[in-house]
Amino acid sequence: MTRPIRLFNTLTRRVEALEPLSPGVVTLYTCGPTVYNFAHIGNLRTFLFQDLLKRTLRAAGLEVRHCMNITDVEDKIIRDSQKELPAEADNAARHGAMKRLTDQFTQAFFDDLEAVAIPQASFTHLPRATQYIPKMIELIGRLEAKGLAYAREGSVYYRIAGLPHYGCLAHLDREGMKQGTSVDSDEYERESVSDFVLWKAFKPGEPSWDSPWGPGRPGWHIECSAMGMELLGERIDIHSGGVDLIFPHHENEIAQSEGATGHTWVNHWVHGEFLLVEGEKMSKSLGNFYTLRDLREKGIDPITFRYAIQSNHYRKLYNFGFEGLKAAKNALDRIRTFRKRMEGNGETSGGGEWKEALEPLRRIDQAREDFWQAMADDLNTPEALAAIFTLVSDLNAQDDRAALTREERDAALAFLEETNAIFAGWPHEEASLDAEVEALIEARKAAKAAKNWAESDRIRDELKAMGILLEDRKDGSVGWKKA
RNA sequence: GGCGCCGUAGCCAAGUGGUAAGGCCGCAGACUGCAAAUCUGCCAUUCAUCGGUUCGAUUCCGAUCGGCGCCUCCA
């Protein structure tokens, strides 16, 4: 069974039903990182949104073929990787230096993704730009043959004037586009200032590849068109990225791909909003620039960050702050605690105040329906989470009154598992046994039995100092969790 | 100048032409040797302001104020 999903489409600026080109299969291309530094939490928000989209589509019963590029040749990469090299370094040395830098940050990037529950294995294709240079050259050649590209002094430019619908994604018209006043010194030869570069002529001190136009390297925009068309096809279902990529990057991708094929390339364009830090755009100069490593040093679980991001809608600005993370942690714990309660057999249940009897199985079905209605409506995660919390409250109340049956607990667990497949925040956790902790707990039990409160409290404080919070339950058992 | 977005309780955040989901915090209660943890209950006559349309608007329209984005590299 597949569930219908509706998504906002930047092209039409409306929420539209996703109708895969091939029934049951969705091709998804997302713009990946430029690997010259560690990803920051703003980058991560975008990748989390794309993961949410992918997981939702898969949970809805669709097969998702997801391609994300790794941009490993680009201005900043060249700047950072070449500065240690002597002027006489040859091309092989320059490529080697570039590869060392990008390999390092590519690995760091995947480490970060894994930490926020985006497994590398969830991607179908992870192409590196440098591995697709021939495809880019081929695509530029197609454009040139159609009169949509022209070479000037070793560089090749896209002729915007040749594509009437240029601007359709960003909703910019030719007249509305502010005419650039500053023209890069090396790009004075363009026919129009709006024409963008497809192939950059070789410059001393840069790594290069041979091409029909002489040595050089690909422009940034051509990478995505070439890799996306090669790996997912000349028509794909969804392309996504951060809002900042709408113009010019995605607009240019449309120009390149549709210029070459003569038909629509992407049906659904989906863009994720930015993240602000304490109300301001993240920047190094403001001192509010964070990577996942920074958060970890502050003791923040990357999964808590993931939850915080996903508790807001992807098309709204998210104002990151540490108080918000605290709230996220507490909210997440509520669901996790509930899961553990459902995994148990009702030993902590019953004895509560009388409440109106619920019909647990029907409530669970209702929650599932509400959850999916929200997710299917342009990934409305705040509302989807509300469906989960409402169920948690309802079933807690019922379980307080009289223990839920095994069947009801299992049904609740199935729902939690289903939602966890998307949110990745409340997986089943094996109760980890720690001999030292267990021994201290036993010692405290003995002290309590002897009514030696001082000793009992001392042990409790000792455990607290170790980051272990004890739970004295109603039935006399003692549980614990990490703070 | 052109094209857009946003303004909902202390904080975060959904939503609808018919009278405000959910989370956090806070308060009260249950439980406890006391706590913590956990659970329960309570917590916006009101949705930036002013007009208009309507039987009725937070939701539609207009204006105003405030915050922001894109039109150049940026997730």
Side-chain angles (χ1 to χ4, degrees):
Chain A
M1 179 188 86
T2 61
R3 297 175 186 271
I5 301 290
R6 294 163 55 75
L7 287 173
F8 184 84
N9 187 349
T10 307
L11 265 177
T12 57
R13 292 186 178 171
R14 310 172 81 134
V15 175
E16 297 177 341
L18 175 68
E19 288 166 14
L21 292 157
S22 296
V25 181
V26 175
T27 43
L28 170 67
Y29 186 93
T30 61
C31 290
T34 298
V35 285
Y36 71 101
N37 208 330
F38 294 110
H40 60 248
I41 57 176
N43 295 319
L44 255 18
R45 182 191 187 187
T46 298
F47 298 120
L48 281 168
F49 139 63
Q50 292 164 347
D51 183 65
L52 178 81
L53 170 60
K54 173 167 62 179
R55 284 173 178 265
T56 302
L57 296 175
R58 284 181 177 159
L62 294 157
E63 177 188 338
V64 179
R65 294 183 191 149
H66 184 190
C67 178
M68 178 175 75
N69 66 288
I70 302 293
T71 295
D72 60 353
V73 53
E74 177 265 359
D75 292 358
K76 289 186 283 287
I77 289 172
I78 291 172
R79 178 196 68 197
D80 291 355
S81 67
Q82 306 297 310
K83 56 190 172 194
E84 303 295 322
L85 291 180
E88 64 274 18
D90 65 12
N91 198 220
R94 298 204 173 280
H95 274 95
M98 186 162 73
K99 187 170 188 311
R100 277 194 296 282
L101 180 83
T102 57
D103 279 354
Q104 175 195 345
F105 288 113
T106 299
Q107 188 54 51
F109 174 69
F110 284 123
D111 289 347
D112 284 349
L113 290 195
E114 295 279 348
V116 293
I118 305 177
Q120 204 169 326
S122 69
F123 296 90
T124 315
H125 305 285
L126 286 165
R128 266 75 161 167
T130 52
Q131 296 169 340
Y132 287 82
I133 303 293
K135 289 293 168 191
M136 296 174 201
I137 290 172
E138 185 183 315
L139 181 56
I140 296 170
R142 280 172 79 178
L143 291 169
E144 192 177 34
K146 285 194 157 195
L148 288 168
Y150 56 94
R152 289 282 188 286
E153 301 180 17
S155 288
V156 184
Y157 300 93
Y158 192 99
R159 179 175 283 125
I160 297 278
L163 193 80
H165 67 281
Y166 186 79
C168 66
L169 182 68
H171 301 269
L172 296 171
D173 57 41
R174 227 36 79 76
E175 313 308 316
M177 268 184 246
K178 197 159 60 175
Q179 294 299 289
T181 49
S182 64
V183 179
D184 289 350
S185 57
D186 61 327
E187 292 179 6
Y188 63 89
E189 61 274 24
R190 287 176 295 175
E191 288 178 2
S192 158
V193 288
S194 297
D195 287 352
F196 59 92
V197 68
L198 297 165
W199 184 261
K200 295 187 170 191
F202 168 78
K203 280 192 282 191
E206 294 188 348
S208 65
W209 286 266
D210 288 331
S211 82
W213 312 280
R217 60 187 172 93
W220 181 46
H221 310 297
I222 198 70
E223 298 180 3
C224 289
S225 281
M227 292 187 279
M229 290 165 78
E230 172 67 16
L231 295 168
L232 293 179
E234 296 191 349
R235 293 180 192 270
I236 67 175
D237 294 302
I238 307 175
H239 190 133
S240 100
V243 286
D244 56 311
L245 297 186
I246 295 172
F247 193 91
H249 185 54
H250 289 164
E251 194 69 59
N252 291 352
E253 283 189 44
I254 289 174
Q256 292 161 345
S257 299
E258 302 192 354
T261 65
H263 64 242
T264 300
W265 184 36
V266 173
N267 282 339
H268 230 106
W269 287 91
V270 190
H271 294 94
E273 250 299 350
F274 261 47
L275 168 151
L276 300 177
V277 174
E278 309 290 2
E280 300 192 87
K281 191 162 174 175
M282 191 163 47
S283 74
K284 286 179 177 165
S285 58
L286 285 172
N288 62 358
F289 189 93
Y290 297 108
T291 63
L292 205 58
R293 282 164 177 72
D294 297 328
L295 298 193
R296 280 173 148 159
E297 280 172 17
K298 290 174 182 284
I300 291 153
D301 182 347
I303 296 298
T304 299
F305 171 69
R306 178 184 173 110
Y307 178 88
I309 291 295
Q310 297 189 331
S311 65
N312 288 55
H313 190 86
Y314 78 91
R315 280 197 293 115
K316 287 260 181 108
L317 278 169
Y318 173 67
N319 191 195
F320 174 87
F322 291 95
E323 279 186 31
L325 287 178
K326 175 69 178 146
K329 168 78 164 72
N330 290 342
L332 211 38
D333 276 347
R334 181 167 164 83
I335 300 177
R336 289 170 175 163
T337 301
F338 173 73
R339 176 165 190 155
K340 281 184 191 152
R341 184 175 190 172
M342 290 299 105
E343 284 171 346
N345 286 308
E347 62 276 3
T348 60
S349 309
E353 293 165 32
W354 189 89
K355 302 215 173 43
E356 189 181 349
L358 306 171
E359 299 170 67
L361 293 178
R362 202 181 56 72
R363 294 289 180 127
I364 294 166
D365 286 344
Q366 183 64 51
R368 178 176 285 110
E369 194 177 305
D370 292 345
F371 177 86
W372 273 105
Q373 187 165 321
M375 290 307 291
D377 182 18
D378 197 30
L379 310 181
N380 191 336
T381 49
E383 207 171 320
L385 288 171
I388 295 174
F389 282 109
T390 299
L391 183 71
V392 168
S393 288
D394 282 353
L395 295 192
N396 270 330
Q398 171 71 4
D399 201 47
D400 276 356
R401 177 176 169 266
L404 295 172
T405 64
R406 188 67 256 165
E407 182 196 9
E408 289 160 348
R409 287 166 188 282
D410 286 343
L413 288 170
F415 175 64
L416 288 176
E417 195 52 39
E418 188 177 334
T419 54
N420 185 60
I422 292 174
F423 284 90
W426 40 94
H428 168 70
E429 290 175 44
E430 291 296 336
S432 56
L433 289 174
D434 182 309
E436 187 186 4
V437 171
E438 296 298 325
L440 284 167
I441 289 174
E442 285 308 314
R444 175 165 170 275
K445 271 187 192 164
K448 281 185 71 170
K451 296 199 188 302
N452 183 349
W453 308 131
E455 174 66 3
S456 164
D457 291 352
R458 189 194 64 71
I459 297 173
R460 185 167 68 196
D461 289 343
E462 184 180 341
L463 283 164
K464 190 177 178 186
M466 292 164 63
I468 303 294
L469 289 183
L470 293 181
E471 277 178 55
D472 289 336
R473 303 208 187 92
K474 279 182 200 171
D475 62 354
S477 66
V478 180
W480 60 274
K481 68 172 188 177
K482 290 184 178 165

